[in-house]
PDB file of all heavy atoms in Angstrom:
ATOM      1  N   THR A 800      14.755   8.725  24.384  1.00 97.00           N
ATOM      2  CA  THR A 800      15.042   8.861  25.814  1.00 97.00           C
ATOM      3  C   THR A 800      15.444  10.279  26.168  1.00 97.00           C
ATOM      4  O   THR A 800      14.973  10.852  27.161  1.00 97.00           O
ATOM      5  CB  THR A 800      16.152   7.884  26.221  1.00 97.00           C
ATOM      6  OG1 THR A 800      15.724   6.536  25.957  1.00 97.00           O
ATOM      7  CG2 THR A 800      16.471   8.014  27.700  1.00 97.00           C
ATOM      8  N   SER A 801      16.311  10.870  25.354  1.00 96.00           N
ATOM      9  CA  SER A 801      16.812  12.205  25.670  1.00 96.00           C
ATOM     10  C   SER A 801      15.782  13.288  25.397  1.00 96.00           C
ATOM     11  O   SER A 801      15.689  14.273  26.147  1.00 96.00           O
ATOM     12  CB  SER A 801      18.089  12.484  24.869  1.00 96.00           C
ATOM     13  OG  SER A 801      17.827  12.452  23.469  1.00 96.00           O
ATOM     14  N   ARG A 802      14.987  13.136  24.341  1.00 96.00           N
ATOM     15  CA  ARG A 802      14.054  14.181  23.961  1.00 96.00           C
ATOM     16  C   ARG A 802      12.778  14.161  24.799  1.00 96.00           C
ATOM     17  O   ARG A 802      12.240  15.216  25.138  1.00 96.00           O
ATOM     18  CB  ARG A 802      13.697  14.059  22.484  1.00 96.00           C
ATOM     19  CG  ARG A 802      12.762  15.159  21.995  1.00 96.00           C
ATOM     20  CD  ARG A 802      12.502  15.093  20.506  1.00 96.00           C
ATOM     21  NE  ARG A 802      13.709  15.325  19.711  1.00 96.00           N
ATOM     22  CZ  ARG A 802      13.700  15.465  18.387  1.00 96.00           C
ATOM     23  NH1 ARG A 802      12.568  15.352  17.715  1.00 96.00           N
ATOM     24  NH2 ARG A 802      14.817  15.685  17.737  1.00 96.00           N
ATOM     25  N   TYR A 803      12.279  12.973  25.123  1.00 96.00           N
ATOM     26  CA  TYR A 803      10.975  12.875  25.796  1.00 96.00           C
ATOM     27  C   TYR A 803      11.062  12.254  27.182  1.00 96.00           C
ATOM     28  O   TYR A 803      10.030  12.060  27.832  1.00 96.00           O
ATOM     29  CB  TYR A 803      10.015  12.038  24.943  1.00 96.00           C
ATOM     30  CG  TYR A 803       9.951  12.462  23.500  1.00 96.00           C
ATOM     31  CD1 TYR A 803      10.554  11.689  22.515  1.00 96.00           C
ATOM     32  CD2 TYR A 803       9.302  13.636  23.108  1.00 96.00           C
ATOM     33  CE1 TYR A 803      10.499  12.063  21.180  1.00 96.00           C
ATOM     34  CE2 TYR A 803       9.250  14.016  21.786  1.00 96.00           C
ATOM     35  CZ  TYR A 803       9.857  13.221  20.818  1.00 96.00           C
ATOM     36  OH  TYR A 803       9.817  13.593  19.499  1.00 96.00           O
ATOM     37  N   GLN A 804      12.265  11.921  27.625  1.00 85.00           N
ATOM     38  CA  GLN A 804      12.435  11.216  28.889  1.00 85.00           C
ATOM     39  C   GLN A 804      11.633   9.902  28.905  1.00 85.00           C
ATOM     40  O   GLN A 804      11.151   9.452  29.945  1.00 85.00           O
ATOM     41  CB  GLN A 804      12.025  12.083  30.095  1.00 85.00           C
ATOM     42  CG  GLN A 804      13.009  13.212  30.403  1.00 85.00           C
ATOM     43  CD  GLN A 804      12.930  14.337  29.380  1.00 85.00           C
ATOM     44  OE1 GLN A 804      11.867  14.892  29.147  1.00 85.00           O
ATOM     45  NE2 GLN A 804      14.056  14.687  28.787  1.00 85.00           N
ATOM     46  N   ALA A 805      11.483   9.320  27.747  1.00 88.00           N
ATOM     47  CA  ALA A 805      10.794   8.039  27.646  1.00 88.00           C
ATOM     48  C   ALA A 805      11.781   6.911  27.915  1.00 88.00           C
ATOM     49  O   ALA A 805      12.981   7.046  27.701  1.00 88.00           O
ATOM     50  CB  ALA A 805      10.190   7.868  26.255  1.00 88.00           C
ATOM     51  N   ASN A 806      11.256   5.813  28.390  1.00 96.00           N
ATOM     52  CA  ASN A 806      12.054   4.601  28.524  1.00 96.00           C
ATOM     53  C   ASN A 806      12.012   3.912  27.164  1.00 96.00           C
ATOM     54  O   ASN A 806      10.955   3.450  26.735  1.00 96.00           O
ATOM     55  CB  ASN A 806      11.472   3.705  29.618  1.00 96.00           C
ATOM     56  CG  ASN A 806      12.358   2.507  29.922  1.00 96.00           C
ATOM     57  OD1 ASN A 806      13.391   2.313  29.289  1.00 96.00           O
ATOM     58  ND2 ASN A 806      11.953   1.711  30.890  1.00 96.00           N
ATOM     59  N   ALA A 807      13.122   3.878  26.469  1.00 98.00           N
ATOM     60  CA  ALA A 807      13.151   3.320  25.127  1.00 98.00           C
ATOM     61  C   ALA A 807      14.374   2.443  24.966  1.00 98.00           C
ATOM     62  O   ALA A 807      15.430   2.700  25.554  1.00 98.00           O
ATOM     63  CB  ALA A 807      13.162   4.434  24.074  1.00 98.00           C
ATOM     64  N   ALA A 808      14.238   1.394  24.157  1.00 98.00           N
ATOM     65  CA  ALA A 808      15.350   0.478  23.906  1.00 98.00           C
ATOM     66  C   ALA A 808      15.141  -0.195  22.568  1.00 98.00           C
ATOM     67  O   ALA A 808      14.017  -0.296  22.069  1.00 98.00           O
ATOM     68  CB  ALA A 808      15.459  -0.557  25.022  1.00 98.00           C
ATOM     69  N   ALA A 809      16.232  -0.653  21.971  1.00 98.00           N
ATOM     70  CA  ALA A 809      16.189  -1.343  20.678  1.00 98.00           C
ATOM     71  C   ALA A 809      16.201  -2.851  20.901  1.00 98.00           C
ATOM     72  O   ALA A 809      16.904  -3.356  21.777  1.00 98.00           O
ATOM     73  CB  ALA A 809      17.374  -0.924  19.815  1.00 98.00           C
ATOM     74  N   PHE A 810      15.420  -3.555  20.092  1.00 98.00           N
ATOM     75  CA  PHE A 810      15.327  -5.013  20.181  1.00 98.00           C
ATOM     76  C   PHE A 810      15.423  -5.598  18.773  1.00 98.00           C
ATOM     77  O   PHE A 810      14.727  -5.142  17.861  1.00 98.00           O
ATOM     78  CB  PHE A 810      13.992  -5.439  20.799  1.00 98.00           C
ATOM     79  CG  PHE A 810      13.820  -5.006  22.227  1.00 98.00           C
ATOM     80  CD1 PHE A 810      13.361  -3.728  22.520  1.00 98.00           C
ATOM     81  CD2 PHE A 810      14.108  -5.862  23.278  1.00 98.00           C
ATOM     82  CE1 PHE A 810      13.194  -3.310  23.823  1.00 98.00           C
ATOM     83  CE2 PHE A 810      13.946  -5.454  24.590  1.00 98.00           C
ATOM     84  CZ  PHE A 810      13.489  -4.174  24.874  1.00 98.00           C
ATOM     85  N   ALA A 811      16.249  -6.612  18.605  1.00 98.00           N
ATOM     86  CA  ALA A 811      16.376  -7.291  17.320  1.00 98.00           C
ATOM     87  C   ALA A 811      15.274  -8.333  17.180  1.00 98.00           C
ATOM     88  O   ALA A 811      14.958  -9.045  18.140  1.00 98.00           O
ATOM     89  CB  ALA A 811      17.739  -7.962  17.207  1.00 98.00           C
ATOM     90  N   CYS A 812      14.689  -8.420  15.977  1.00 98.00           N
ATOM     91  CA  CYS A 812      13.679  -9.444  15.737  1.00 98.00           C
ATOM     92  C   CYS A 812      13.461  -9.638  14.243  1.00 98.00           C
ATOM     93  O   CYS A 812      13.137  -8.691  13.534  1.00 98.00           O
ATOM     94  CB  CYS A 812      12.347  -9.087  16.398  1.00 98.00           C
ATOM     95  SG  CYS A 812      11.074 -10.347  16.179  1.00 98.00           S
ATOM     96  N   ASP A 813      13.628 -10.869  13.796  1.00 98.00           N
ATOM     97  CA  ASP A 813      13.242 -11.266  12.448  1.00 98.00           C
ATOM     98  C   ASP A 813      11.793 -11.729  12.538  1.00 98.00           C
ATOM     99  O   ASP A 813      11.512 -12.791  13.099  1.00 98.00           O
ATOM    100  CB  ASP A 813      14.152 -12.390  11.956  1.00 98.00           C
ATOM    101  CG  ASP A 813      13.758 -12.923  10.590  1.00 98.00           C
ATOM    102  OD1 ASP A 813      12.736 -12.478  10.025  1.00 98.00           O
ATOM    103  OD2 ASP A 813      14.470 -13.812  10.086  1.00 98.00           O
ATOM    104  N   VAL A 814      10.871 -10.955  11.995  1.00 98.00           N
ATOM    105  CA  VAL A 814       9.448 -11.251  12.174  1.00 98.00           C
ATOM    106  C   VAL A 814       9.017 -12.513  11.441  1.00 98.00           C
ATOM    107  O   VAL A 814       7.905 -12.999  11.643  1.00 98.00           O
ATOM    108  CB  VAL A 814       8.555 -10.064  11.737  1.00 98.00           C
ATOM    109  CG1 VAL A 814       8.877  -8.824  12.566  1.00 98.00           C
ATOM    110  CG2 VAL A 814       8.683  -9.790  10.250  1.00 98.00           C
ATOM    111  N   THR A 815       9.892 -13.049  10.577  1.00 98.00           N
ATOM    112  CA  THR A 815       9.560 -14.299   9.881  1.00 98.00           C
ATOM    113  C   THR A 815       9.957 -15.526  10.691  1.00 98.00           C
ATOM    114  O   THR A 815       9.671 -16.659  10.286  1.00 98.00           O
ATOM    115  CB  THR A 815      10.263 -14.369   8.510  1.00 98.00           C
ATOM    116  OG1 THR A 815      11.675 -14.525   8.691  1.00 98.00           O
ATOM    117  CG2 THR A 815       9.989 -13.122   7.696  1.00 98.00           C
ATOM    118  N   ASP A 816      10.608 -15.329  11.823  1.00 98.00           N
ATOM    119  CA  ASP A 816      11.120 -16.416  12.659  1.00 98.00           C
ATOM    120  C   ASP A 816      10.298 -16.488  13.942  1.00 98.00           C
ATOM    121  O   ASP A 816      10.362 -15.580  14.775  1.00 98.00           O
ATOM    122  CB  ASP A 816      12.599 -16.146  12.958  1.00 98.00           C
ATOM    123  CG  ASP A 816      13.257 -17.244  13.775  1.00 98.00           C
ATOM    124  OD1 ASP A 816      12.557 -17.976  14.497  1.00 98.00           O
ATOM    125  OD2 ASP A 816      14.495 -17.356  13.705  1.00 98.00           O
ATOM    126  N   GLY A 817       9.541 -17.558  14.108  1.00 97.00           N
ATOM    127  CA  GLY A 817       8.678 -17.672  15.274  1.00 97.00           C
ATOM    128  C   GLY A 817       9.434 -17.626  16.582  1.00 97.00           C
ATOM    129  O   GLY A 817       8.984 -17.005  17.554  1.00 97.00           O
ATOM    130  N   ALA A 818      10.604 -18.268  16.652  1.00 98.00           N
ATOM    131  CA  ALA A 818      11.397 -18.250  17.877  1.00 98.00           C
ATOM    132  C   ALA A 818      11.910 -16.849  18.180  1.00 98.00           C
ATOM    133  O   ALA A 818      11.938 -16.419  19.350  1.00 98.00           O
ATOM    134  CB  ALA A 818      12.571 -19.224  17.749  1.00 98.00           C
ATOM    135  N   ALA A 819      12.296 -16.116  17.142  1.00 98.00           N
ATOM    136  CA  ALA A 819      12.776 -14.749  17.337  1.00 98.00           C
ATOM    137  C   ALA A 819      11.655 -13.845  17.837  1.00 98.00           C
ATOM    138  O   ALA A 819      11.876 -12.976  18.694  1.00 98.00           O
ATOM    139  CB  ALA A 819      13.351 -14.204  16.030  1.00 98.00           C
TER     140      ALA A 819
END
Side-chain angles (χ1 to χ4, degrees):
T800 300
S801 62
R802 182 175 296 188
Y803 310 106
Q804 288 73 55
N806 187 358
F810 295 84
C812 182
D813 176 357
V814 300
T815 69
D816 182 336

